């Protein structure tokens, strides 16, 4: 401060001599304001911003249901404290600086003390996991203070998580009445996930099926028809009872099991959805159905399995599902093809394979589930001797049998969590380890009546249970506590009367807008699990990095959410919400041992997290309320942070056990940059630090001297390439002495990738423009460990892989830097701007991680094949290329919205219609409004535009180029909404003027009107042999085309005729 006052006095004398008193007054006012601001900063509470922010909450996923720490009692902790304070011989490793206190334990000491204190034989791997969570410094020792703080923080986070989870983002239930059920209970609700936009079909006990859209507005009612062997031919309605139903997504069929020892297969690919096959003559009644197919290879072998009333399991393998489930010969018979089950195995051996596993249970099977990871079959019954059984398909491995009193009525299983949830006649919900059948890990008691269904939400770490008195409870898996109780006010619930429930009253639909469906007799309740937040930044990724030690990907969002993903499978491991309150996370870094995560936000706050358990270890002092744009961690876990404050702050977290860590402003960084610092990187091999600012200036600093040593580019130079968005040191080149004179530093400036030397006589070693379009910016800049590949990601969504192994190697190499480096691969990975990219190595293979403001974080091979998006429902195996998602279809939200509007118009048109499955709906007359017909034409235009965009993988980037992308700006969400509005208005302007009511949609030799439940992803069928009964449908539909003009001008109600007519 004295130096500043001296400068002020000198300036005053100079100004007085020259007579510039006015300029002096302005200058002294600014300097006094600067001094007062820094003086107040020292007297203000630097931790106030942390105390006032929203507390963070941590959720664990994938195997964190049973924690060793939660089994410790207070007496165990007292005994462990005494063990810590015993005298021990502490020996540190030679040639290594390790601070070890006298009251510390090694892993072997901790393991033996824990077993001695608790008297339990813990698994060594479980104790090692707990020890590693506390040993964040990786020195092999844990002190009592560290253990004590870890315990306190753990239970504090559990308490905070419980408080946050009580306000779950779940909507109020919306109840719908299925009037067409005629008061019969709903047996099962199916989600047609493979037919965008989303559809649901409810199946009643008497065989009535109702199609619903994603808003749960019923589109049309459907009914099963009586079989051809019905003695009363004049009755066309189904007269039996259904037991279960399942959706076969890869072939777009529905299988419905009945008490008449048959399974009915319905084709839903066309508008006149009809019963195609009736499989009858089963040995026993099918009581529970399950279906599986490989999502990545839908044309490969799939299986339909069912449990019967004799406790046996039956598996029907469809070997070539795209060629047909069964070989159906030509016949003059109308109606569904009748297939006798014992004969079908011999006749259709080329398409069908049958397997029978007898007497698994002594009572009827009420649930059956197939787990493809280990090829497991999980079944349940109300038999106390075999309540739940897990066997493999080949029956060669050991089977697991749970013996539960009074049996099991329902269950759910999560392979990733290793968790089995069961419920029986009583009101208790039991949680089991999949390998331990003797006793449950937890018993959840809160229901007053019998629990009829349970379901696991793996992503949220929650369990939903539903009882007979229409009470829905939500349980937290880690804490095993009831978070919420919802009493569903169904109109048929009365005091002292319990209505009949279906066998499967719960359906968890994990769509982009996930909902939970609950049925009670003929009523259906919907609960949305995620409300749409008003914050438009929610879910927009801001940065990402890769942790090679734990093989994890960490992503940060604008809504202050940190997420840890398993790179091998793509599943979520941990999520930290409100990491910096409500502030956007701006940058992240890892510590030296890669066990701690350092995150910074736009309000200047910086936090240190334990990556193994999500605990907040440190909160670093803020030097300003401006955004932090760069964090690095160099030797001895010394942190350096900079940003819009233009200052470099240093923090030491090596041996600090305090929550709050003060800032060290010893760096001579004041007034070095004239504008805000936007990028920072360091080179440990050279001991250098590089910073880049908004005005294009790049300064090289010495880490040892803590001061600048050279300026590669000043703000007066290269004004065309301002500002500096990213900086990247080529670490491997810097380690080799003969390459240090060449380019070792890269900068991204308005789309140009500039190459710089910090050791040679000439600094600038060339530059090239990476994006394809003009006015684009490279926000993703990364390289592999050998510095042979460079990956760039720009604001147009393009990812490019460059060969830089021979580019600008030395100061004398000027020819290679004159041209572009070799472009190996290029593809468009995102529809909007890429904000970060990383190159990661897994099992000697290179992959590319990219995150974008289009709400997607994707993993790619170095050749451009899409492995998948983190958080998707289908998991991948990074070691198996067969599980990669190489073909991805983008569904336009505009198209889905218009299709939903078309559905609503259809439901209004056909309000009085009643269409039967297995019948042809020949229309005699109806009327359409002008608005409905225009919406129908718009849906057809959008469908034609979608079909034109479906190109092979080789032409994938060109197909994506047809979608114009908004330019990158600070208000990303506003631009996105504006662009969506422009697309919608353009589509409306391109709408044809004529109503086009005579147009029909053709599938094979069949025609159907546009006012139908058609699936847009089904392509046109060609050269398909038609059977006589299918030809009759085509004739009826053709007759409907001739009568379409009369149909559109008449007010008469709809009439239906069956195929038997």
């Amino acid at each position: 401060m004295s130096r500043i006052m001296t400068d002020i006095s000198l300036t005053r004398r100079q100004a007085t001599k020259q007579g510039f008193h006015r300029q002096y007054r302005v200058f002294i006012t600014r300097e006094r304001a600067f001094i007062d601001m820094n003086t107040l900063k020292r007297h203000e509470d630097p931790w106030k911003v942390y105390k006032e922010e929203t507390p963070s909450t941590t959720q664990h996923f994938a195997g964190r249901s049973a924690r060793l720490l939660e089994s410790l009692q207070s007496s165990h902790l007292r005994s462990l404290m005494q063990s810590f304070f015993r005298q021990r011989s502490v020996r540190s490793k030679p040639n290594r600086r390790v601070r070890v206190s006298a009251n510390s334990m090694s892993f072997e000491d901790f393991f033996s003390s824990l077993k001695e204190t608790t008297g339990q034989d813990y698994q060594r791997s479980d104790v090692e996991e707990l020890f590693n969570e506390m040993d964040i410094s990786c020195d092999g020792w844990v002190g009592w203070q560290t253990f004590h703080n870890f315990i306190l923080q753990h239970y504090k986070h559990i308490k905070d998580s419980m408080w946050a989870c009580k306000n779950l983002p779940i909507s109020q239930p919306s109840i719908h009445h299925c009037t067409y059920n005629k008061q019969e209970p709903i047996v099962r609700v199916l989600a047609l996930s493979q037919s965008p936009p989303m559809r649901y079909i409810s199946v009643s006990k008497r065989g009535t099926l109702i199609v619903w859209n994603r808003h749960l507005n019923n589109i049309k009612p459907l009914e099963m028809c009586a079989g051809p062997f019905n003695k009363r031919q004049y009755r066309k309605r189904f007269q039996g009872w259904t037991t279960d139903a399942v959706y076969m997504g890869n072939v777009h069929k529905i299988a419905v099991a009945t008490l008449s020892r048959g399974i009915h297969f319905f084709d839903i690919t066309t508008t006149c959805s009809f019963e195609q096959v009736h499989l009858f003559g089963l040995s026993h009644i099918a009581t529970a159905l399950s279906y599986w197919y490989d999502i990545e290879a839908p044309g490969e072998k799939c299986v339909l399995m069912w449990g019967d009333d004799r406790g046996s399991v039956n598996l029907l393998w469809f070997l070539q599902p795209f060629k047909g489930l069964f070989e159906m010969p030509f016949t003059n018979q109308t109606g569904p093809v009748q297939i006798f089950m014992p004969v079908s195995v011999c006749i259709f051996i080329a398409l069908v394979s049958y397997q029978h596993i007898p007497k698994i249970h002594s009572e009827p099977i009420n649930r059956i589930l197939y787990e493809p990871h280990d090829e497991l079959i999980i079944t349940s019954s109300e038999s106390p001797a075999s309540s739940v059984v897990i066997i493999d398909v080949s029956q060669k491995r050991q089977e697991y049998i749970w013996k539960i009193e009074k049996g099991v009525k329902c269950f759910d299983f999560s392979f990733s969590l290793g968790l089995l949830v069961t419920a029986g006649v009583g009101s208790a919900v039991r949680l089991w380890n999949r390998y331990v059948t003797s006793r449950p890990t937890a018993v959840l008691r809160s229901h007053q009546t019998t629990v009829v269904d349970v379901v696991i939400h793996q992503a949220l770490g929650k369990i939903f249970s539903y009882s007979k008195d229409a009470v829905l409870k939500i349980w937290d898996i880690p804490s095993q506590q009831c978070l919420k109780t919802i009493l569903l006010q169904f109109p048929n619930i009365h005091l002292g009367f319990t209505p009949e429930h279906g066998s499967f009253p719960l359906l968890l639909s994990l769509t982009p807008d996930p909902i939970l469906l609950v049925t009670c007799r003929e009523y259906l309740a919907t609960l949305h699990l995620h409300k749409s937040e008003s914050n438009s930044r929610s879910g927009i990724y801001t940065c990402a990095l890769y942790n090679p030690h734990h093989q994890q990907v960490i992503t940060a969002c604008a809504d202050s959410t940190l997420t840890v993903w398993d790179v091998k499978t793509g599943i979520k491991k941990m999520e930290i919400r409100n990491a910096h309150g409500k502030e956007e996370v701006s940058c992240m870094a890892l510590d030296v041992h890669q066990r701690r995560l350092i995150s910074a936000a736009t309000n200047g706050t910086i936090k240190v997290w334990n990556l193994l358990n999500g605990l907040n270890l440190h909160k670093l002092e803020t030097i300003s309320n401006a955004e932090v744009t760069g964090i690095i961690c160099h030797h001895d876990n010394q942190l350096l942070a900079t940003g819009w404050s233009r200052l470099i702050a240093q923090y030491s977290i090596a041996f600090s056990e305090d929550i709050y860590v003060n800032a060290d402003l010893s760096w001579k960084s004041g007034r070095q940059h004239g504008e805000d610092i936007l990028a920072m990187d360091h080179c440990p091999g050279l001991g250098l630090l590089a910073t880049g600012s908004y005005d294009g200036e790049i300064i090289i600093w010495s880490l040892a001297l803590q001061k600048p040593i050279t300026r590669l580019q000043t703000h007066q130079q290269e004004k065309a390439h301002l500002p500096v968005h990213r900086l990247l040191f080529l670490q491997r080149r810097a380690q080799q002495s003969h390459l240090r004179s060449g380019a070792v530093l890269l900068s991204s400036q308005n789309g140009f990738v500039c190459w710089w030397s910090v050791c040679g006589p000439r600094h600038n070693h060339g530059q090239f423009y990476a994006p394809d379009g003009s006015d684009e910016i490279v926000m993703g800049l990364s390289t592999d460990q050998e510095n042979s590949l460079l990956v760039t990601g720009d604001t147009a969504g393009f990812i490019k892989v460059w060969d830089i192994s021979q580019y600008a190697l030395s100061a004398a190499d000027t020819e290679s830097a004159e041209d572009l480096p070799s472009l190996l691969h290029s593809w468009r990975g995102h529809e909007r701007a890429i904000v970060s990219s990383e190159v990661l190595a897994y099992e000697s293979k290179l992959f590319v991680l990219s995150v974008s403001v289009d709400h997607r974080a994707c993993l790619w091979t170095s050749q451009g094949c899409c492995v998948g998006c983190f958080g998707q429902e289908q998991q991948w195996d990074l070691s198996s290329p067969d599980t990669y998602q190489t073909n991805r279809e983008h569904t336009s939200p505009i198209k889905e919205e218009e299709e939903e509007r078309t559905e609503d118009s259809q439901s209004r048109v056909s309000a009085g219609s009643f269409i039967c499955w297995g019948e042809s709906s020949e229309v005699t007359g109806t009327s359409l409004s002008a608005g409905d017909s225009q919406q129908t034409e718009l849906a057809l235009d959008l469908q034609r535009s979608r079909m034109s965009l479906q190109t092979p993988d080789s032409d994938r980037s060109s197909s994506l180029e047809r979608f114009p992308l908004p330019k990158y700006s600070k208000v990303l969400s506003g631009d996105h909404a504006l662009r969506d509005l422009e697309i919608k208005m353009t589509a409306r302007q391109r709408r044809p003027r004529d109503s086009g009511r005579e147009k029909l949609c053709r599938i094979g030799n069949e025609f159907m009107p546009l006012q139908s439940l058609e699936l847009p992803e089904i392509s046109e069928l060609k050269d398909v042999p038609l059977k006589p009964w299918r030809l009759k449908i085509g004739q009826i539909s053709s007759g409907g085309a001739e009568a379409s003009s009369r149909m559109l001008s008449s007010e008469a109600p709809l009439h239906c005729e069956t195929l038997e007519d």
Side-chain angles (χ1 to χ4, degrees), residues 159-210:
K159 181 180 179 181
D160 294 341
S161 300
M162 286 292 300
W163 177 261
C165 288
K166 287 185 180 298
N167 299 320
L168 284 175
I170 186 169
S171 66
Q172 292 295 325
S174 175
I175 299 178
H176 308 265
H177 187 207
C178 305
T179 56
Y180 299 103
N181 279 14
K182 299 179 175 59
Q183 297 186 352
E184 289 291 335
I186 298 175
V187 174
R188 169 81 82 168
V189 179
L190 303 175
L192 308 187
S193 56
Q194 299 300 319
S195 58
M198 195 66 185
R199 301 290 193 279
Y200 300 96
I201 291 183
S202 60
V203 182
S204 73
K205 190 174 182 179
R206 287 287 186 179
T208 301
L209 295 91
I210 299 179

Side-chain angles (χ1 to χ4, degrees), residues 771-844:
D772 292 334
S774 59
D775 299 330
E776 301 293 348
I777 302 174
V778 175
M779 299 296 294
L781 196 66
S782 57
T783 181
D784 62 333
Q785 294 182 353
E786 301 297 328
N787 296 151
S788 60
L789 299 178
L790 176 69
V791 177
T792 60
D794 54 42
T795 51
F798 281 91
I799 303 172
K800 295 185 177 182
V801 181
W802 310 82
D803 182 7
I804 61 170
S805 58
Q806 304 297 324
Y807 191 82
L809 289 178
S810 62
D813 186 11
T814 58
E815 296 182 359
S816 65
E818 293 178 356
D819 300 327
L820 290 173
S822 300
L823 179 61
L824 301 179
H825 305 282
S826 176
W827 68 94
R828 192 174 189 185
H830 297 271
E831 297 182 2
R832 304 188 65 199
I834 295 175
V835 295
S836 179
S837 64
E838 291 282 336
V839 178
L840 57 96
Y842 183 86
E843 294 182 354
S844 71

Side-chain angles (χ1 to χ4, degrees), residues 463-475:
I463 298 174
F464 298 90
S465 60
Y466 179 65
S467 58
K468 278 188 174 182
D469 53 356
V471 173
L472 177 70
K473 289 185 178 291
I474 306 176
W475 308 83

Side-chain angles (χ1 to χ4, degrees), residues 971-986:
V971 192
L972 294 170
S973 59
D975 289 348
H976 185 52
L978 180 61
R979 188 59 187 166
D980 288 347
L981 180 60
E982 293 176 357
I983 295 174
K984 184 184 297 185
M985 295 302 296
T986 304

Side-chain angles (χ1 to χ4, degrees), residues 134-159:
M134 297 183 291
D135 182 24
I136 56 177
S137 59
C138 297
D139 56 12
W141 298 87
V142 171
W144 164 253
Q145 189 65 33
T146 301
F147 179 74
H148 180 262
N149 292 340
F150 182 82
I151 293 289
L152 292 180
Q153 289 182 343
H154 173 75
Y155 285 105
K156 180 179 181 298
H157 271 259
I158 288 181
K159 181 180 179 181

Side-chain angles (χ1 to χ4, degrees), residues 374-390:
D374 286 346
E375 296 185 346
L376 302 177
I377 301 175
I378 310 173
T379 58
S380 66
S381 70
E382 297 186 20
S383 171
S386 56
S387 303
V388 179
V389 177
I390 297 181

Side-chain angles (χ1 to χ4, degrees), residues 617-671:
L617 301 176
H618 306 290
K619 299 177 180 180
L620 310 187
E621 181 184 4
T622 60
I623 59 174
S624 102
N625 58 358
E627 179 177 342
V628 179
T629 58
I631 302 175
I632 66 167
C633 182
H634 58 102
H635 63 89
D636 293 336
N637 281 327
Q638 299 294 319
L639 301 182
L640 297 178
T642 187
W644 290 4
S645 64
R646 311 175 197 174
L647 300 176
I648 298 178
Q650 180 170 315
Y651 306 89
S652 178
I653 61 170
F655 303 104
S656 176
E657 295 184 354
D658 298 330
I659 297 295
Y660 299 102
V661 178
N662 294 317
D664 181 7
L665 298 179
S666 60
W667 276 69
K668 304 174 182 62
S669 58
R671 307 299 180 105

